[in-house]
Amino acid sequence: MSKLRAGPSDRRAAGDVREQLPAGVRMNTLQRVAATGGIAAIVLLLGVLIFDGISNSHEARDAIRSSHRMIEAAQATLQDITNAETGQRGYLITHDEDYLAPYHEALLAITADTSALRRLAGADSVHKRQLDSLSKRIDAKLSELAVTVALARSGGPDSARAEVLTNRGKVAMDDIRGVLGQLSAHQDALLAERIAASDKHYRVVTVTDVAGTSGAVLLALLLNMMLTRYADGQAVAARMLLAQNSELNDANKLLGEQTLELELQNHQLQEQTVELESQQIQLEEQASELEMQAEELVASVEELQLQSSVAEEARVRAEEATARAEDASQAKSLFLTTMSHELRTPLNAIGGYVDLLAMEIRGPLVEAQKDDLRRIKKSGQHLLSLINDILNLAKIESGQLDLRIRDVSLASVLENVEALVTPQFGAKGIKYVYPRCDASLRVRADSEKLQQILLNLLSNACKFTNSGGRVSVECDALSDAEADHRATVSLRVRDSGRGIASEKLEEIFEPFVQIDRHLTGSSQQGVGLGLAISRDLARSMSGDLMAESELGVGTTFVLTLPRGTIGVGAGVPAESVAAASSQRPS
Ligand code: ADP
């Protein structure tokens, strides 16, 4: 928008600006009318009045001039008649025709002057009557003059003299003077009136001129003052308008930018609308698909509800079965405990009597009897160890096993175990690689149970590894970097024996499970409880026992236990823990 061009909004703005101006610099309607037409009206009125006064003055001057001409014409007429009479008198005296020249000239002048009198008299009735009377008297005088001149020519001076002596000519002359005197008097009166009228018009014109000019000057000054204030106001308004105009320009520019931005947003909105429409179509398709799926789901839910009621029935039956199984397990554990106790008492007694006999307290024995007693003793010990295993398992499963958990030095435990298993490995020709454990490495465990687990694993390794094989124990301290309290220690018992099929790796931890029992020699016989007890013990101590194996290559049993406090020995207080009941189904 141009700064100088005023559009409708600018005019509105100008109106607003004028509203803000002080009352003194604004013009009301009357002042505007006065400013635009006041002086013109006054000048027009003045002109009309002066024109009227001048016109009247001109008329009065013409009338005065007419009066003067009338008086002059009357005097000229009297002079003409006097000149005619003078020529007549000269001729009558001299009888010389030359003296009649003024008489003839006067006759012509009298006609012209009386005509002028009539023209100047116009419609004035007084003058008309006076001129009629004057014409009659002039005719009478001219007739007396013509008669006397004719008598002088024809009869001589005496006959003319008689006529003159009749005094007719003198009377006519006196009448003429009288009429002309009246005419002049009337004209003098008119002249006086006209001069007075002329003076009056002159005064009116003068007063009107002075008053009108003064009024016009005053009004012009007033208007000048008003216009000056108005112009000042207009200048202020113009400045304010300019300021507002520049503000408007700024606003306009901003508006333009905002309009552009809005157009851009509009464009984006249109694109989004198109996208939304396509998404809506997709959604509608998905909605119809979902409806179909919902219908299918409703059908599935109904089916599931049906299955759920069936499952609920199954669950109730399973709970009942579990309760029965738990009861049976308790009964079995109680039975095993009782039976183990009942079996161990006579077995111990048998062992005692065998010892008595072997010591030959009852009398000397032959060598064959001594061999028999040794076999009886060995079988009794084997039986006792079986019974102990069963008793242990029963105790663990019934939650009656007492554990003394404390920080245990792995090195010392392995040293104890080593002393027990070394003779076995040596007898069978198996290379036993001694464990190299950090002397400060400790685990949280019951040391007897830990020893029991290790003995079981090592004796199994010895049992299922052929002569010339190799058995080793490795220690690993595993640490969970994020949670140190979950640090564990793992012990790997590795052998190069026959190995276990992968599908059997879990099965071997079940009680009374033995793989390839026929391959196991009579000296290696067990009942399949060692691993079951070992795993239960490991788990009771917050650890675990797992197996890794490859057929024909060897087996590794991995025992994990919580790590103990480094460098702290037996001084760490022991926890007394009752082993949790085994989760294994009986
Ligand atoms: P037992 O040794 O008294 O038979 P275990 O529970 O200790 O009972 O072992 C269960 C079975 O697991 C064994 O009979 C054997 O078949 C298998 N087994 C255990 N340790 C090994 C091993 N180191 N190598 C191969 N097989 C093994």
Side-chain angles (χ1 to χ4, degrees):
M1 186 193 295
S2 165
K3 280 188 177 182
L4 297 173
R5 205 175 348 146
S9 59
D10 290 342
R11 280 195 288 277
R12 260 199 312 280
D16 294 343
V17 169
R18 275 198 294 274
E19 289 300 317
Q20 294 169 22
L21 291 172
V25 296
R26 278 185 273 145
M27 288 176 112
N28 57 30
T29 312
L30 189 64
Q31 286 170 330
R32 283 185 199 195
V33 169
T36 49
I39 290 190
I42 286 177
V43 169
L44 185 67
L45 182 65
L46 199 61
V48 168
L49 289 174
I50 290 173
F51 180 77
D52 186 52
I54 289 171
S55 296
N56 289 336
S57 185
H58 275 297
E59 280 176 17
R61 195 188 60 197
D62 289 345
I64 290 168
R65 203 175 284 145
S66 168
S67 293
H68 282 302
R69 282 200 197 119
M70 195 86 174
I71 292 166
E72 283 169 9
Q75 287 171 352
T77 303
L78 185 61
Q79 187 60 47
D80 292 340
I81 293 168
T82 306
N83 288 342
E85 193 175 43
T86 304
Q88 177 237 4
R89 294 275 190 268
Y91 180 73
L92 287 181
I93 295 167
T94 64
H95 235 305
D96 186 353
E97 283 292 330
D98 290 339
Y99 281 93
L100 283 178
Y103 168 76
H104 292 299
E105 287 172 9
L107 288 180
L108 291 171
I110 286 166
T111 306
D113 288 335
T114 53
S115 297
L117 279 172
R118 285 208 177 271
R119 197 177 61 252
L120 290 167
D124 191 319
S125 57
V126 176
H127 276 316
K128 244 182 162 181
R129 278 199 309 275
Q130 287 171 342
L131 287 174
D132 289 344
S133 167
L134 181 66
S135 292
K136 283 180 195 161
R137 289 190 175 43
I138 288 172
D139 287 344
K141 178 62 182 176
L142 291 180
S143 160
E144 183 267 334
L145 289 175
V147 168
T148 53
V149 169
L151 285 174
R153 258 189 209 128
S154 61
D158 292 334
S159 54
R161 190 165 163 257
E163 183 57 31
V164 172
L165 291 175
T166 60
N167 274 338
R168 204 165 46 100
K170 186 180 177 294
V171 171
M173 197 64 188
D174 290 340
D175 288 345
I176 288 167
R177 281 198 180 90
V179 171
L180 283 172
Q182 289 171 4
L183 192 144
S184 292
H186 178 62
Q187 204 52 239
D188 284 341
L190 279 177
L191 186 62
E193 272 178 31
R194 284 168 180 170
I195 285 170
S198 175
D199 289 347
K200 184 182 154 198
H201 291 311
Y202 177 75
R203 277 196 303 278
V204 166
V205 167
T206 305
V207 168
T208 304
D209 190 15
V210 170
T213 304
S214 304
V217 166
L218 279 176
L219 189 59
L221 284 172
L222 186 66
L223 282 176
N224 192 33
M225 191 177 76
M226 280 169 56
L227 284 172
T228 304
R229 294 181 71 180
Y230 180 71
D232 289 345
Q234 289 297 314
V236 172
R239 277 198 295 277
M240 288 167 79
L241 202 61
L242 269 176
Q244 286 185 351
N245 206 15
S246 110
E247 275 174 29
L248 274 173
N249 278 338
D250 292 347
N252 226 6
K253 205 169 153 193
L254 194 65
L255 204 64
E257 287 170 6
Q258 286 175 347
T259 306
L260 267 178
E261 205 173 319
L262 277 174
E263 278 174 7
L264 196 68
Q265 287 177 355
N266 196 22
H267 186 65
Q268 286 175 350
L269 271 176
Q270 282 173 352
E271 286 178 357
Q272 286 174 356
T273 305
V274 170
E275 204 175 317
L276 279 173
E277 280 172 0
S278 77
Q279 284 178 357
Q280 192 181 352
I281 291 167
Q282 283 179 358
L283 278 173
E284 282 171 2
E285 286 172 5
Q286 286 174 356
S288 65
E289 207 173 312
L290 278 173
E291 274 176 17
M292 280 165 58
Q293 287 177 356
E295 285 169 8
E296 285 173 14
L297 267 176
V298 168
S300 304
V301 166
E302 285 169 359
E303 201 176 325
L304 274 174
Q305 280 173 344
L306 200 65
Q307 288 175 359
S308 171
S309 63
V310 173
E312 182 62 22
E313 283 174 25
R315 191 186 61 78
V316 170
R317 279 201 297 274
E319 277 178 3
E320 288 170 359
T322 305
R324 279 199 301 273
E326 278 174 4
D327 289 347
S329 175
Q330 290 286 332
K332 182 196 76 177
S333 296
L334 188 63
F335 168 75
L336 286 174
T337 310
T338 312
M339 282 307 292
S340 299
H341 182 70
E342 293 303 320
L343 286 171
R344 277 202 309 185
T345 308
L347 264 177
N348 283 328
I350 290 168
Y353 282 112
V354 168
D355 287 341
L356 275 178
L357 290 172
M359 284 187 284
E360 296 180 337
I361 291 171
R362 304 293 183 192
L365 298 173
V366 295
E367 208 47 45
Q369 286 174 322
K370 285 182 184 174
D371 281 347
D372 290 342
L373 283 176
R374 274 196 289 273
R375 285 196 191 96
I376 292 167
K377 179 74 177 175
K378 196 177 175 185
S379 296
Q381 282 175 338
H382 181 64
L383 198 55
L384 195 60
S385 109
L386 284 179
I387 289 165
N388 280 337
D389 280 351
I390 291 169
L391 190 62
N392 270 335
L393 187 67
K395 273 186 176 175
I396 293 168
E397 288 186 351
S398 61
Q400 292 173 2
L401 184 70
D402 278 335
L403 296 173
R404 285 181 58 75
I405 304 291
R406 59 177 185 167
D407 283 352
V408 177
S409 164
L410 263 186
S412 68
V413 172
L414 285 167
E415 218 171 282
N416 292 341
V417 172
E418 194 181 299
L420 294 170
V421 296
T422 305
Q424 286 182 45
F425 288 121
K428 205 173 171 186
I430 295 169
K431 185 183 179 188
Y432 178 62
V433 181
Y434 296 97
R436 292 284 170 266
C437 280
D438 184 350
S440 65
L441 200 56
R442 292 166 193 279
V443 289
R444 294 289 293 169
D446 180 316
S447 66
E448 279 181 21
K449 305 303 176 200
L450 172 59
Q451 202 167 309
Q452 184 183 340
I453 295 168
L454 289 170
L455 273 175
N456 183 43
L457 295 176
L458 286 167
S459 59
N460 274 351
C462 187
K463 264 198 284 184
F464 300 108
T465 302
N466 292 329
S467 175
R470 185 176 185 275
V471 174
S472 67
V473 178
E474 298 156 17
C475 307
D476 270 330
L478 302 175
S479 174
D480 187 328
E482 289 183 3
D484 218 27
H485 65 279
R486 284 170 58 194
T488 56
V489 172
S490 71
L491 282 162
R492 294 171 180 272
V493 178
R494 196 185 300 274
D495 66 51
S496 59
R498 69 184 196 202
I500 305 165
S502 60
E503 67 274 11
K504 304 281 187 188
L505 282 176
E506 272 303 307
E507 215 177 295
I508 56 172
F509 291 101
E510 296 297 325
F512 306 110
V513 170
Q514 289 180 310
I515 300 162
D516 300 330
R517 188 188 291 264
H518 61 282
L519 295 174
T520 312
S522 59
S523 64
Q524 297 169 348
Q525 274 182 0
V527 288
L529 284 174
L531 288 177
I533 291 171
S534 295
R535 177 178 263 187
D536 281 349
L537 286 173
R539 288 182 175 174
S540 298
M541 294 186 291
S542 306
D544 206 351
L545 180 63
M546 286 170 293
E548 299 164 357
S549 185
E550 197 176 336
L551 271 177
V553 176
T555 306
T556 303
F557 283 91
V558 183
L559 170 66
T560 53
L561 285 169
R563 188 171 178 175
T565 312
I566 295 172
V568 180
V572 176
E575 303 165 26
S576 186
V577 176
S581 175
S582 171
Q583 296 300 310
R584 187 186 309 114
S586 53

